[in-house]
Amino acid sequence: DVGVRCQVDSSNTCTYGDVRLVGSSNQYEGRVEVCINDTWGTVCDDSWGSVDATVICKQLEYAYTGYGKYYTNAYFGAGSGTIWFDNVACTSSNTKLVQCSSNPIGEEDCSHSEDAGVGCEAPCSDGEIRLVDGIVSNEGRVEICFGNEWGTICDDYWSSVDATVVCRQLDYSDTDAVAFTSAHFGAGTGTIFLDNVGCSGTESSILDCSYNSDNIYDSSNTCTYGDVRLVGSSNQYEGRVEVCINDTWGTVCDDSWGSVDATVICIQLGYAYTGYGKYYTNAYFGAGSGT
């Protein structure tokens, strides 16, 4: 297993690949800015869409309903400096902007009047529910959160007993709760998380009821695809290299491992190096486990 030692550079203002939202009155929407080589820059809106916006929301660990909202034409004001990304084309499997396909970084034919923006929502907890699109706040389409995505519940077997539990969970009176079906408050978007809900009426949360949940994914994943970390050292700037693939940490074999590879690890982690990162082989920081 390979290892790396980097130097500490407290002057770094951002980590390679970090994103932030700027130019709005709240932190969950704004102009997209991305850190490349310790410098914040913007993203051109060519080909910018809802899937790209969703990836930004995921990376920032903000919530979204169906997809993140996307904005073009410098909706949140024109940025300055370098336009790092153009013709971004993310897929649903991407969790960071730098994982998405695009023009080579820094190659663009845009102006800041084309800066891309994103609208996300405040983070939500697994099993949290809300009522949407009702005339008053105590009625509406039931939406439930998993993995920071708001989705819906199918009306198969939906009844007043189930509605009673929803009202109780939302701290409304659970007396004479009324159940609605057939998208009475309008069709939602995104994932239908629960189906065939069957409550007894005594539960305090909809997740205490029986249900089918084929579309629920595990939001307790401890790492994001492509993340790296350094393990097995007494300080954070050196150690055995581990990488996250498919939500699982694994190691890197030292075949052909060298200083250029070590430098890339230092860059990805936002750590400094002199000339090149130092590289180690033969499990210098201890043998890992797993894949």
Side-chain angles (χ1 to χ4, degrees), residues 22 62 75 95-96 154 207 222 234 267 277 284:
V22 179
Y62 294 160
Y75 182 89
T95 56
K96 292 184 177 182
C154 182
L207 293 187
T222 57
S234 59
I267 291 173
Y284 182 89

Side-chain angles (χ1 to χ4, degrees), residues 154-163 179 181 195-199 212:
C154 182
D155 66 3
D156 291 344
Y157 305 116
W158 190 252
S159 72
S160 59
V161 178
D162 309 313
T181 59
D195 188 16
N196 296 331
V197 174
C199 300
N212 290 345

Side-chain angles (χ1 to χ4, degrees), residues 27-82:
Q27 69 191 88
Y28 304 115
E29 64 178 11
R31 180 177 64 253
V32 178
E33 296 191 348
V34 58
C35 176
I36 302 294
N37 298 334
D38 302 322
T39 303
W40 289 106
T42 63
V43 177
C44 181
D45 64 7
D46 292 345
S47 304
W48 189 250
S50 57
V51 176
D52 311 310
T54 302
V55 170
I56 299 297
C57 295
K58 287 180 180 178
Q59 182 170 349
L60 291 170
E61 297 183 348
Y62 294 160
Y64 55 93
T65 304
Y67 294 94
K69 295 180 181 179
Y70 71 96
Y71 298 89
T72 58
N73 299 317
Y75 182 89
F76 293 100
S80 60
T82 305

